[in-house]
Amino acid sequence: MEEVRIAVDVMGGDEEPQVVLDGIDAALAADAALTVLAVGPEEIVAPFAESRPRVEALVAPDVIDMADDPIKAVMSKRKSSIVVACRAVKKGTAQGFFSAGATGAITAAATAYVTPFKFEEAGELHPLRPCLTSAVPNRAGGLTVFCDLGANPDVEPGDMLRFAQMGAAYARVVCGIAKPRVGLLSNGTEDTKGSHFTKECFALMRDVLDGFAGNCEGSDIVSGSYDVVVADGFAGNVALKATEGAAKFILSELKGALLGSLKGKIAALLIKNDLAAIKEKLSGDAKGGAILLGLRGVVLIGHGATSVEAVKNGTLATAEAVRAGLIESIVEAVGTIAR
Amino acid sequence: MEEVRIAVDVMGGDEEPQVVLDGIDAALAADAALTVLAVGPEEIVAPFAESRPRVEALVAPDVIDMADDPIKAVMSKRKSSIVVACRAVKKGTAQGFFSAGATGAITAAATAYVTPFKFEEAGELHPLRPCLTSAVPNRAGGLTVFCDLGANPDVEPGDMLRFAQMGAAYARVVCGIAKPRVGLLSNGTEDTKGSHFTKECFALMRDVLDGFAGNCEGSDIVSGSYDVVVADGFAGNVALKATEGAAKFILSELKGALLGSLKGKIAALLIKNDLAAIKEKLSGDAKGGAILLGLRGVVLIGHGATSVEAVKNGTLATAEAVRAGLIESIVEAVGTIAR
C-alpha cells in the first residue's frame, strides 16, 4: 500500500484527548503504510510520538472549542491544532487532515490555509466554494453522497453544478460507483418542480452535467434511487438535521415502547445488538465523517461525539481518500479548474 | 355540540370509494352533530345519502386523479368532486372540506374557489398565499405545527411572517397551545445563522411576531422545543420528505434486522403492536391531515394512502377546526386582513 501521512487533531471532539490517541493507535494497527502527525499541545503529543515509530508530534498549544466563533477563532488562534494541521496539509507535510472538532472552525481554517482550487469563468479565476459532503447509507443497501451539508447557505447555480460534479467524483473514487446518478434536491421529482433558484440549477445541470437524473425529494437521501443528492447548504443542512431528528425520535419512541411492558423488555434484550447496529449505521459516519470538497487537500470532519472507533475510521478514511486520488479526480470533474 | 356541515370527497385517495363511505359512516357515528355532504358520482353518493339522514349527496361526475396536472385539471374538470366541494364551501353549503385526493389539485381548486383572504400592505390589497400546515408528534409527547409544507416554493419575508402568524393561530385553536413558541427553520439555531432570505425573515419576525423564538433546525420539527416551525414551501417540503424518508428507512432496517434471526423473529412477535403504534404516530395525521391556512373555509387534505380510520379522523378534524373557530382566529392573527 502507498505510504500516506495524515494529520490528526488530538484536541477534536467532546471526549478526552486519550480517546483520540487510542483511535490513532487503532488506525496505525490497521494500516501499516500510515504515518500520523499527532497535532496538539506538546505535553500530549510529544510523549505519544516518542514511543511510536509511525507517529510524529506537531505541536499546537491553542485549542478551538465548539463554543468559539469559528472565523474569529481561526483568525486569533493561529497556533490551534486546527490551524496548525491545515497549514501542514498546505505545505505538504501531511496529505490529509482528520478532526472531530467544530465543523465551522475547520471549514474556516481549511478555506484560509489549505485553500480551495480556483475555477475559470468568463476569463476570470474564482475560488471554489468548499462543499461539505457525506456518504449516507440508503435503503438499497448502498451509499448516497449528499452535499452541501451546510457550508454555503447562499450560492449561485454555477456553484451547485460544481457541487454536483465534486459529489459525483467522490461517489466514483471513494464509494466506487462507476456512473453516479445525480439528483437535484427539490420539492418533488417532476421536472417542473422547484423554486426559482433550483429551476435555474435544473436547466444548467440538464445541459452540462454527466449523470444528471433530474429532481429528487427529501426522502431520496436514503431511498437509494440516486447516488448523489445535491443541494445548497441551507436546504442540505435542513434535510440532514431533519433526517437525524426523525431517527432520534423513532429510536426513542421504540425504546419507550419496549421498556413499557414486560414483553417489550424481553424483546429489547433479544434485539439489543440489532438496534445498536442500526444506530451505528445511521450515525452518518459511513465514510468516517463529512469531507470538504474543493480544497487542495483532503480534510475530513468527524462527529463531535467521538469514540476510539470513530477516530480510527476517520483517520483510515482520510488516508483512503488520499490514496484513491480524490483531489485529482475533483480537479478532473470540475473541468474549469486552473491548477 | 354545534351542528356542522362538512363536504367529503368520495373519490379522494388510493382506495375504492367504499373505504371513504365507511369512513364517513364512522365519523357520523362518532359525532352526532355532524352532517356530511358526500361529493362524487351520482351512482355512488345518491344511494349512500338516501338511507342516511345526516348525509346529503352532492353530485360531481368528474374525477381528478393523482396523475393529472393540478392546475389544468382544476380548470378543465369543473364538475370534479374537488372543484364542486370547494364551491360548496365558498357558497356556505358546507363549512369545511376533507379530501384524501391530490394535494396540488386541492390547493389549486381551494385557491380558485374557496379563495384566500386579502391582506393590506402599503394601502393595497393582496391575496394571502394558502399555507399547507400539519401538526406532527414530537419527542416531548406533544404536537409541533409545521408549515409551509410545499404550497409556496418561492415567497417573500412578509409571506413567511403571515405563515408564522397563521401557524401560531392553528397551534392555539386546534392544538390547544396557549402561547406557541415559533421557530424559523434555518441551518442552525444561532441568531446569525441562515440564508440571506431567512435572515430577512428573522429580522421581520423579531420585530413584530408574538412568540418568536428565533432560528431552529431540521431536527426541531420533532424535538418539542418549538410549538410552530415555519419555513418556505421549498425547505418545508424537503424537511418533511426527509423526515418521512428517514422513518421509512429505520422501520425497514428494523424489520430486516428482526426477520434475520430466530431471536429477532420472537422479538418481532412480542413488539408487533408497539411497532404498529409508532408507525401510526409517524404517519403525520395527528390532526387528520394537512390543512390549507389562509382560505375563507376549512380545507383539510388527508394522506393519499386512505383507510377507514383516516377518513373518519380527517372528517372529524375538519369539523373540529370549524367549531374551534379556526378561520376567525386566522383573521385575527394576521392583523392586516381585510374581510
Side-chain angles (χ1 to χ4, degrees), chain B residues 9 39 60 64 74 80-87 97 99 101-102 105-106 109-110:
Chain B
D9 179 7
V39 193
I64 294 177
V74 167
S80 61
S81 52
I82 290 173
V83 171
V84 168
C86 284
R87 299 184 71 172
F97 173 37
S99 174
I106 299 168

Side-chain angles (χ1 to χ4, degrees), chain A residues 138-139 154 185 187 195-196 198 217-219 222 234 237 241-242 245 247-250 253 258 267 271 281-282, chain B residues 139 154 185 187 195-196 198 217-219 222 234 237 241-242 245 247-250 253 258 267 271 281-282:
Chain A
N138 63 42
R139 282 167 62 203
D154 293 293
L185 188 62
N187 59 334
S195 62
H196 291 324
T198 65
E217 302 187 305
S219 53
V222 296
F234 185 88
N237 187 275
K241 300 272 178 69
K248 251 192 195 167
F249 177 57
I250 293 168
E253 282 289 308
L258 292 181
I271 62 171
K281 201 167 173 180
L282 289 165
Chain B
R139 282 168 62 203
D154 292 293
L185 188 61
N187 59 333
S195 63
H196 291 324
T198 66
E217 302 187 304
S219 53
V222 296
F234 185 87
N237 186 275
K241 299 272 179 68
K248 251 192 196 168
F249 177 58
I250 292 168
E253 283 288 307
L258 292 181
I271 60 171
K281 200 167 173 181
L282 288 167

Side-chain angles (χ1 to χ4, degrees), chain B residues 5-336:
Chain B
R5 294 163 61 85
I6 302 298
V8 177
D9 179 7
V10 167
M11 304 310 287
D14 298 333
E15 298 294 324
E16 292 294 302
Q18 190 58 47
V19 173
V20 179
L21 298 180
D22 291 345
I24 293 174
D25 273 336
L28 290 167
D31 184 339
L34 172 69
T35 295
V36 168
L37 274 70
V39 193
E42 185 163 12
E43 63 274 22
I44 297 175
V45 295
F48 182 70
E50 203 169 23
S51 55
R52 288 165 178 83
R54 287 187 285 128
V55 174
E56 293 169 26
L58 190 54
V59 172
D62 288 350
V63 177
I64 294 177
D65 63 37
M66 297 289 184
D68 284 330
D69 176 86
I71 292 175
K72 274 190 211 154
V74 167
M75 307 245 288
S76 62
K77 295 183 174 178
R78 301 219 172 157
K79 300 216 157 166
S80 61
S81 52
I82 290 173
V83 171
V84 168
C86 284
R87 299 184 71 172
V89 173
K90 181 65 191 295
K91 278 190 291 184
T93 323
Q95 292 157 285
F97 173 37
F98 172 73
S99 174
T103 302
I106 299 168
T107 304
T111 305
Y113 292 102
V114 179
T115 72
F117 285 111
K118 293 197 171 168
F119 67 94
E120 207 182 312
E121 201 173 61
E124 283 187 35
L125 290 180
H126 308 272
L128 278 177
R129 289 166 171 272
C131 176
L132 194 64
T133 306
S134 196
V136 295
N138 63 42
R139 282 168 62 203
L143 293 175
T144 301
V145 173
F146 184 27
C147 65
D148 170 25
L149 303 180
N152 308 278
D154 292 293
V155 295
E156 300 294 320
D159 298 316
M160 291 282 279
L161 171 65
R162 290 179 288 274
F163 292 170
Q165 290 167 329
M166 295 195 286
Y170 182 78
R172 275 193 302 274
V173 168
V174 174
C175 306
I177 301 166
K179 286 178 180 290
R181 298 158 297 173
V182 183
L184 172 63
L185 188 61
S186 189
N187 59 333
T189 56
E190 300 88 344
D191 287 3
T192 53
K193 286 290 172 114
S195 63
H196 291 324
F197 171 69
T198 66
K199 283 174 183 169
E200 276 186 59
C201 299
F202 186 100
L204 180 62
M205 290 180 185
R206 190 187 44 204
D207 288 349
V208 304
L209 180 65
D210 285 343
F212 183 53
N215 282 326
C216 67
E217 302 187 304
S219 53
D220 288 313
I221 296 161
V222 296
S223 71
S225 304
Y226 300 80
D227 302 305
V228 179
V229 171
V230 62
D232 63 71
F234 185 87
N237 186 275
V238 159
L240 181 75
K241 299 272 179 68
T243 302
E244 288 175 357
K248 251 192 196 168
F249 177 58
I250 292 168
L251 293 173
S252 86
E253 283 288 307
L254 189 62
K255 208 173 154 191
L258 292 181
L259 300 182
S261 72
L262 181 62
K263 276 202 306 191
K265 281 179 193 161
I266 297 167
L269 275 176
L270 291 172
I271 60 171
K272 210 176 147 191
N273 293 339
D274 294 322
L275 279 182
I278 292 174
K279 237 182 182 164
E280 173 71 25
K281 200 167 173 181
L282 288 167
S283 71
D285 288 340
K287 287 287 171 190
I291 193 160
L292 277 168
L293 301 178
L295 300 172
R296 295 170 196 270
V298 174
V299 177
L300 201 78
I301 307 172
H303 261 232
T306 330
S307 67
V308 173
E309 189 69 15
V311 173
K312 175 191 160 193
N313 290 341
T315 306
L316 293 175
T318 309
E320 186 193 345
V322 170
R323 289 197 183 106
L326 177 64
I327 303 301
E328 293 71 23
S329 79
I330 295 280
V331 171
E332 203 180 311
V334 184
T336 56

